[in-house]
Amino acid sequence: MKKDLHPKINTVVFKDISCDYSFLGTTTMHSSETVKWEDGKEYPMIKVEISSESHPFYTGKQRVMDTEGRIDRFKKKYGKK
C-alpha cells in the first residue's frame, strides 16, 4: 500500500453560526481555531452556515411556495395568444 495516500481523519467540533449549535464529528478538513468540548478535551473548530439544527427540512419550518402565482405567470408569458 502506498504511504501517505489517504488524508488524515480528524475529530473536530462543527459550529453552526446561524443558531449557535455545536456537534462533534470527523472530517479530513483542518482548522487553526480550537474550542474546549464537553469532555474537557480541546478540538479544532470548523464553522458551518447550516446544519440539521437550522436547515428548514429538519426543523419543519419550510417556506410555502406560491405555485399558483408562478403557474399563472408562466401561462401569461408562454401561453397561446
Side-chain angles (χ1 to χ4, degrees), residues 18-19 50-65:
S18 65
C19 67
I50 196 160
S51 69
S52 62
E53 198 68 21
S54 62
H55 193 280
F57 179 79
Y58 295 106
T59 60
K61 298 177 183 175
Q62 293 181 337
R63 296 184 306 165
V64 177
M65 296 189 67

Side-chain angles (χ1 to χ4, degrees), residues 44-77:
M45 180 178 61
I46 296 177
K47 295 179 181 175
V48 293
E49 294 180 12
I50 196 160
S51 69
S52 62
E53 198 68 21
S54 62
H55 193 280
F57 179 79
Y58 295 106
T59 60
K61 298 177 183 175
Q62 293 181 337
R63 296 184 306 165
V64 177
M65 296 189 67
D66 181 22
T67 55
E68 184 179 327
R70 294 177 78 182
I71 292 169
D72 289 340
R73 280 185 285 166
F74 179 83
K75 287 181 179 177
K76 184 178 176 183
K77 188 174 184 179

Side-chain angles (χ1 to χ4, degrees), residues 14-52:
F14 291 99
K15 182 173 182 169
D16 186 347
I17 56 176
S18 65
C19 67
D20 201 33
Y21 173 71
S22 300
F23 60 95
L24 196 61
T26 57
T27 184
T28 57
M29 296 170 59
H30 301 284
S31 176
S32 59
E33 291 183 73
T34 60
V35 66
K36 195 168 195 171
W37 188 243
E38 299 162 354
D39 61 2
K41 294 181 183 177
E42 200 149 313
Y43 294 101
M45 180 178 61
I46 296 177
K47 295 179 181 175
V48 293
E49 294 180 12
I50 196 160
S51 69
S52 62

